Amino acid sequence: MSGNFYFVMVGHHDNPVFEMEFYPPNKAADPKRDDHRHLNQFIAHAALDLVDEQMWSTSNMFLKVVDKFNEWFVSAFVTAGRMRFLMLHDIKNEDGIKNFFTEVYETYIKFAMNPFYEINTQIKSAAFEKKVQFFGRKYLTG
Amino acid sequence: MAQCKQTAEEFVQSTFSPHVAVLCSPDAELLCQKNNLSFQQLIQPFCRLSSEVHIRDANNVSHSIHGLRIKACDMSSQPLQQAAIRKILSDAVVNAQQQQQQSLDGGRTNVHSFGNYDLHLNASTPWFEAWRDNFLETMPLSDHEYLNTCLACLFVVSSGQSDPLSVFTALGNQQLTQQQQFPNKTPRWFCQGILHYYVLLHDVLDGEQARAEAVYQSMKSTFGGQICHLLQINSRSPSTMETLKTGPSPPDPWSQFLPKPSSDTQEGVDYDGVGAQDDVSFPGELSEGTNEVNPAMLTSVDSSSELFEEQMQSPSDSSDSGVPQDDLFDHPLMPSQTVKSTSVSELPSLDNDLTAAANGYTETGGQSKQMQVSMTTDRKTYGHGCCLTASDQDRLRIFMHEFVVRAMIPWAERQMKLLSDQLTSRKGIHRSIFSATRKWFGGNKPTGPIPASQNTTVVYTKDAPELQLRRLGDLAFLFQMYEFSYNTYHAAKKDFNNDHAWLHFAGALEMASIAVFMQGGSSQRAYPHHYMETAISTYLTSCRNPPYAMRATLISSEILKRRNQYSDAAMQFLKMITEVSQSQDADLSSALFLEQAAHCFICMAPPMVRKYSFHMILAGHRFNKAGQRKHALRSYSQALQVYKSKHWSIAEDHIHFTIGRQSFNLKQLENATSAFKHLLTGESKQPTAQQGAFLREYLFVYKQLLSQEAGESSSYGRLPELPLPNIKTNETKVLLGQPTKLPESSGGSKRTPATGVTLDDQGQEARWAKLEATAVTRKSNPPSSFRPTLQCFSNKTDNKYNPLTFVGEMVSVQVVLENPLQVMLVLSDITLLWTFLPSITGGDQAQLISNEVTSSVKNHLADEIIQTAVIKEVVLTGNQIQPIVLSLVPRQAGELRVVGLAYNLGTSSLAQNAPLTSAAVAADSASTSKGSAASSKPSYISTVCVRGKQRLEVQGPRLNVSKEEKTGKVYGPDRRLDLAVQEEMPILNVTFCEFPEALLCGEVHCIEVEFSNAGTVPLRNVRVAASNPNFFTFGSGPDAELPKSGRLLYRPHRDPSEPNPESAVTQKGDTDPAEQDIELEYPYTYQVRPGEIKPNRVECLDSGVSLNKTPEVTSVPFPGDGVLHPGQSVSLPVWLRGNDIGGVHEVDVLFYYEPVAPRTPVKHRVLRHRAVVNTVESLSVRALATRQTGSVLRSAGQELNTCYIFCELENLSQVQVQRPHIQELQISQVSCASDSWTVASLSTNTLKGIRIGSRETLQLMLKGTQKPNAKGDKLLYSEVPFDMEQIDSTRTPCRDFYQCSVAADRSRETSSQGLSDVSNKAEYRDLEAALDVDLTLIFLWKAFVVQENGQMKILVGQHHVHLHTVNTYVTSYPLVMAPSHHPPLKFYKDTEAEMDESPSADVTTRLVSYSYQHKASALHSFDNGMCVVEVSLSLQNHAKRPVQVLVDSSKSSDRLNSTSSQDSNPASSASTTVITPSPPSALNSPFPLSSCVRWVGHTHAKVTLNEGESAKLNLRAGFLRPGTYNVNTLAVFVTFTDDQSQMILQRQPTPSIITLLPQVS
């Protein structure tokens, strides 16, 4: 499996809370990668409209592919607390993304229990980052 | 929420309106030109019929037509070339925005709220409408439809023509030839028999009315009355118009139909090629929306990734991007000129077989066109229709109405009837044949539209029935018979589909759906959206005809918007973008479509704000590529509203960057700068190189802006604010006074200046404040109102008051700079900005002075008032935090406020990658102050930089007192940057010479201290307060012998103990051989008594003088009047004594001084010094005083006033190899200072010194004697010398240190005793006197110290032991109390323990001492019975109060055992021995017989002893057997109150032994 993934958790004010990109190991050193990082953000941000629309139409947290822009698909996951997880991906990997979302959700819940973490603020935690990285390798690029 | 001006219906009607060609004779054209208009333009405002007209269809059913619009087109106009069309389109877009900006300031007036977003939106998008109108107008015509073909031709001839009728004929022929011979030339014609309409144009002023009438009559007869018209215009001359100009000019109905004069389009610079450079990585095409997955997408990842090619280029490129470098459009006027020239050259050759008249016309037409072009410049001065009066305009209106109602509609009716007749006649045959052949050959083809890629090969003849059908439909549509036209189209659609005539098919579909829509509510059918979809896709895929697809999209989206199907409309726009993106000029249309799609998104319910913003970004990107910079900027700015401060940092950066670039290209430097400013934040997630690029770009743009502004206004003075670096304003510190110089070593002697205050001193202000308070008030507990002098202000100090500084004294401000970026920042020429309000005594209004002005003259003046230091350069590497120190020297009194920091901000081209070590940076910052090393290292200043400032505003502490303050966030004032500059003050400088780093414990060292006045005002009253007053002394008392002022006190001196090292050898055996051959020197620290040595010398001295209330404060004894004049300096000796405890000690010393004649409210100043001394352990002394008791030798009176003192001296030092250490200690003298006691040696009386080697212990026994009459404030000094010379312990420094030590001892005592004890103590003070001895032993010693180089040095020192009570061990060093363990925390209140009113048992059991006097031994023959020995009991009252003593022999017990433990450990005697008379009998029943002493005689004796009184009782003891007995078995009870019941058993541990031997006889 190889594909590029961009994962973002979006807070209640449409603000990104946590971002991470996953690349297949062989493409990790792609110099062009930086060039369209903003495009990832644009696409993910624009997909929020569709997430907000579709989240009411299903009882599942995982919304599958909600939007698509050129070669990018946007899959979404809405937590019970209405945090929106978005994943940009250029290959189909529904199960992997679903598992990834579920695991990250679990981790996020634990993180949010921290009384010193204020909800909707940037997650700055090395441990959290490491975990997400691990899940990314496990389910997405691995 | 962009709304179009027209509704969808209006739009469709205006798009598809009947066309009429105009063919004008040259003279008629000339007549029109008087009004600055062509004939076509002249009639244009009147082409829309205001009234309702009626038309009958083929079935003779009447329909009403509302607002029919006729489109007139000039036959002479030429088709435009592709480039020209493109130019027109983009011009339209540009101009539309310009207009809007002029009128509505960008149209951003309305604010809409969408969920959490409040957005400014464009109310309308006129550029889109303008583009749409122009696009539809310039669309290429196609054969498959007849909507835009001309239904009629207007022939216009002037009445001035000699033979108008022939000209009419010629024109008619011209039209006919054109229609027949050049069918592909515009305009195209609806059918063969178009309507001809003849207009005779008559100039009212110039022409003859009668002749015109005549010609008109002949016209009517020739052509028919319905199709002729006499039009009278130009009822007034232009000159009369001039005269009428005074009034308000009538509305100009033509202006809205005419193209804007091209002189307005000065935005030609916009069309440079830079915009087209793909500098943003956006895909050129996009597809999105549905969940369906295109399989091609999945496989072709790499191909599509090419779309993301090339992005934000290096901003350095942008420097030259301001220059237009386009080769497509050189000049806005160019394309039209080229077109015209070609038309002129080509026309004659093309039209050479036209009739002469027509030929001539073409020529002149060309000329007139040229004339027209030349006249465009004059248009502004004229205006349009200046020769037309209101009645002329009415005539024009009537003319058009006549034309439509009387000619056009009847013609259309006829034509429709004709067409439908033709169709019905042919239909039957054709249909049957066709369907038969189809069935025959075609087999079972699906009837639906077949999406085939192959183009149709079907070519219809001009009059093919299918086309006739279409013609009929079009005609019906044009005249608003929508129901009928739908049916026709529907029928045609089937035919075309069957024939695979895809273009025709698509057209029919398109029109069918539009027809349904136009029927509105009256229609039974639902709007066939799929028709339109199919039409568009057919146009695109099968026909490859993007313009028609585009037109269909435009109409369809408008219809969908009308039907609130915004989502579908957006999809249609987006689909179109995807499809047309390959074509050449797709950028502009794509951008417009994207923008429309974005507007559709926001119109949806619920509004899709984020989709909107994303598509605005995409649109902006495409606008940029199309060279429409303003639109690009506008789009990005629109989108920014959504993204702003949502922390999509990279996206936001991209937007800001683009806005910055576009603004810069549009010369909006201010906007560009502020946009770039946003990029330079600490949160930036950009890579380092990108940050560096942003920074450079920002600096470049900002510099341009500044230079531009500087050019605009010469009075420009304020510096701009810079965003970088971050200043941690609240960490700003202000230091008053000179920063301390480094210790300088000049002339061999090390000079240490007083440390003063540095910026790093924090958290110890309380200590210094206490010291200062003590120094000022000379009281230990200063009043609470006292305000200490602060010299260093930070966020931790109380900054409620303005810092006070003085003229001529430096103020240092430390500013903490933080570089939030990862790139290096170079700051240069950093200065503080200030404002200054001089305090002027006169009545003049003081003027605020600032150094922020850039003009050199003013700056020079400012620098004279406040001397401002400049730091040349500071380099901040990525993410570095660095404090910098800037200084000011005020030269005038007033109010100085530090307002900010001015500097040049630059970056280095040396890139951040260059490994710049922190050391190098440190060197940079260090060299800034010197500026000498600057030449050797590379300087970064040369790179591009901008001068600007940042404000320094400090925030006070958060208040938290009242409720409002607790709930809100209220901050107190902070005035640390508002300095009050006052008149000059003296400045005291203190320098220590040869300040030792290390001392032995107790060592006394003499150094020289230099006081100098660096100010301009004399000072006096120098006082010193220290945290540890034992540390030093300036000497006191009448020390006339001591050389004091200004002289060094070192003097080579032969050690008096040294001449006899033999004794040391004999004592120790192995002396260091080095000791012999080195010449020893030691400081002449002590004063030696002259003359011979008296072993027990006693001197009486006044003590009250020196023991002042606050030992912490001492005055510095200046010679003379105690005033230090400016520039004067005084050297004084000072003696230091090492702390008693080994280790590193910090001693805070505060010098207090006053100006002689204070001119300011400040009455004193202080100077701080912190001395750090390491002390090494040397000697330790342990002493115990005991009363002599039980001695039979002494008389009773003597016993009261003597004591024995046991001293244990230990040398704590250790011999160390290769390191300085004490080899030996020599006790030179023991002195005693007391108000009543003197000492004498009991153990040894040698004068050769007592030496103690390392880790050796020496016991010394002294006897103390109390002089009973020596009381008051006299102090007795007794000296026991052990050395060759006797040191005068009553003089400096010996006595001073003694006094310090006493004071320290007292303060320790009072602090250790609780205050609660005091009242208790006072009552029993007289009782406690029983145990008091009050003396201090001073041990004076010499130490032989081996230095590192092996040399020997003699140091001297002294230790003090304070003896207060007997039987208590005291040490020379203060015992460090181990922290007593805290009682467990209790949550309930303890019942208050009853205060024990009685004095402690320690005291009460020792009030009376007693001793026995008896024979030591006796011989007795026990055969004769009991031996009776006379014992006399001496009782001595130690207390200062009369006591009653009860001696009870019967209750005696063997107390030897029970009290033996109490003797060694008095502390454990807490188990009280307060015994009431009754219980002992029970206790003492088992008598050991051996110790049995029987007292003979009376068993009780009661004596009353007064203060100091002694008594003797004669008793008799009886012994039954021989042996050794302890006589001390009596119980002695003492009462010190009247209450007889409370008898206290006295403690007398010393046994009194008697030996009884049996007499053998």
Side-chain angles (χ1 to χ4, degrees), chain B residues 862-1163:
Chain B
D863 212 43
E864 263 178 20
I865 297 164
I866 310 285
Q867 195 178 321
T868 313
V870 178
I871 294 183
K872 269 277 160 267
E873 183 180 75
V874 169
V875 177
L876 291 172
T877 48
N879 296 334
Q880 194 190 12
I881 297 175
Q882 190 178 333
I884 57 167
V885 180
L886 293 151
S887 61
L888 298 172
V889 182
R891 298 284 177 210
Q892 257 187 42
E895 288 165 35
L896 175 67
R897 165 176 289 203
V898 177
V899 292
L901 201 64
Y903 54 90
N904 295 333
L905 174 66
T907 184
S908 79
S909 51
L910 299 182
Q912 45 296 327
N913 304 333
L916 196 80
T917 59
S918 56
V921 177
D924 285 346
S925 54
S927 69
T928 49
S929 51
K930 295 178 208 159
S932 57
S935 56
S936 59
K937 64 174 181 61
S939 176
Y940 303 99
I941 300 179
S942 53
T943 48
V944 63
C945 62
V946 172
R947 181 133 189 109
K949 68 168 179 191
Q950 272 197 68
R951 300 196 164 280
L952 274 180
E953 273 159 2
V954 284
Q955 191 177 43
R958 181 159 173 207
L959 302 177
N960 208 15
V961 180
S962 66
K963 193 182 175 230
E964 290 83 62
E965 287 168 350
K966 279 176 181 161
T967 51
K969 282 188 176 173
V970 185
Y971 294 91
D974 196 322
R975 301 201 170 85
R976 72 184 106 137
L977 292 174
D978 302 347
L979 301 143
V981 182
Q982 305 200 333
E983 293 299 335
E984 286 142 313
M985 284 284 266
I987 304 165
L988 180 71
N989 280 349
V990 177
T991 315
F992 302 89
C993 293
E994 300 280 356
F995 193 85
E997 286 164 9
L999 289 171
L1000 295 176
C1001 288
E1003 182 192 334
V1004 176
H1005 193 93
C1006 183
I1007 60 164
E1008 193 186 18
V1009 182
E1010 191 181 281
F1011 294 88
S1012 60
N1013 186 354
T1016 53
V1017 179
L1019 63 89
R1020 61 171 184 183
N1021 273 356
V1022 182
R1023 284 179 228 157
V1024 184
S1027 60
N1028 184 3
N1030 308 0
F1031 178 64
F1032 68 95
T1033 178
F1034 282 99
S1036 61
D1039 294 324
E1041 296 159 46
L1042 200 72
K1044 292 210 76 168
S1045 57
R1047 262 190 288 154
L1048 277 174
L1049 291 176
Y1050 293 140
R1051 182 166 91 197
H1053 179 78
R1054 191 74 189 158
D1055 181 22
S1057 72
E1058 212 43 45
N1060 47 4
E1062 298 83 14
S1063 62
V1065 174
T1066 49
Q1067 269 186 346
K1068 289 195 67 193
D1070 57 342
T1071 316
D1072 195 346
E1075 203 178 328
Q1076 273 88 18
D1077 51 35
I1078 52 162
E1079 195 182 357
L1080 293 175
E1081 285 182 2
Y1082 87 101
Y1084 195 68
T1085 308
Y1086 292 122
Q1087 297 181 55
V1088 179
R1089 285 185 192 279
E1092 60 180 298
I1093 293 166
K1094 291 184 193 165
N1096 292 326
R1097 185 191 192 106
V1098 176
E1099 194 164 321
C1100 195
L1101 207 73
D1102 213 8
S1103 70
V1105 191
S1106 50
L1107 284 177
N1108 52 19
K1109 283 174 289 182
T1110 49
E1112 293 94 348
V1113 184
T1114 48
S1115 289
V1116 178
F1118 276 149
D1121 53 355
V1123 174
L1124 201 58
H1125 290 284
Q1128 199 181 1
S1129 69
V1130 171
S1131 288
L1132 291 175
V1134 72
W1135 288 267
L1136 310 175
R1137 182 174 172 270
N1139 198 298
D1140 286 314
I1141 301 167
V1144 178
H1145 299 273
E1146 279 186 350
V1147 184
D1148 294 338
V1149 185
L1150 189 90
F1151 295 92
Y1152 163 97
Y1153 57 100
E1154 296 170 3
V1156 170
R1159 283 191 281 168
T1160 57
V1162 184
K1163 294 286 181 278

Side-chain angles (χ1 to χ4, degrees), chain B residues 932 1025 1264 1397 1402:
Chain B
S932 57
E1397 280 299 307
D1402 238 6

Side-chain angles (χ1 to χ4, degrees), chain B residues 9 19 105 552 557 868 872 889 942 1085 1238 1278 1398:
Chain B
E9 286 87 352
H19 280 59
D105 187 33
S557 58
T868 313
K872 269 277 160 267
V889 182
S942 53
T1085 308
T1238 58
S1278 52
S1398 58

Side-chain angles (χ1 to χ4, degrees), chain B residues 164 297 447 497 661 714:
Chain B
M297 291 288 185
T447 47
N497 191 22
R661 287 284 286 276
S714 56

